[in-house]
Amino acid sequence: MPPEPRLPEPPGLSSIHLVGEREMMSDDKSLRAPQDASRIAMGEDYEVRYWTNKFGVTREQLQSAVDAVGNSAGAVEQHLKA
């Protein structure tokens, strides 16, 4: 017996992803990691939250590191460890 066809998603609704025990809306920028995890976008609040949590630093410390070595996540991580 073939699987039931999927109905298209209604316009304006985003898909919901189950992560652990939390549901995350795919368009909710406050609940996701950066799209390009190799670069730090200081202009995106959700990315700043992600990177400050990941590195255990303040926004100011993160900004200082980005100013010093650029927005490469690897370079910033190395700079913060030094």
Side-chain angles (χ1 to χ4, degrees):
M1 186 172 207
E4 292 185 29
R6 280 187 70 172
L7 296 174
E9 204 169 272
L13 295 181
S14 63
S15 57
I16 297 175
H17 303 282
L18 189 59
V19 177
E21 293 185 11
R22 289 179 33 187
E23 288 183 352
M24 292 177 52
M25 300 297 288
S26 61
D27 63 346
D28 187 345
K29 291 182 179 182
S30 70
L31 299 176
R32 67 178 188 194
Q35 280 191 301
D36 182 359
S38 69
R39 302 280 174 209
I40 298 173
M42 292 300 295
E44 296 287 350
D45 288 339
Y46 73 98
E47 285 205 26
V48 172
R49 280 191 301 274
Y50 172 83
W51 292 112
T52 55
N53 287 333
K54 179 175 175 66
F55 297 141
V57 297
T58 65
R59 180 186 187 94
E60 292 75 22
Q61 290 169 315
L62 183 64
Q63 183 66 63
S64 178
V66 169
D67 291 344
V69 299
N71 69 345
S72 164
V76 168
E77 183 174 26
Q78 292 302 314
H79 179 78
L80 292 170
K81 287 181 177 179

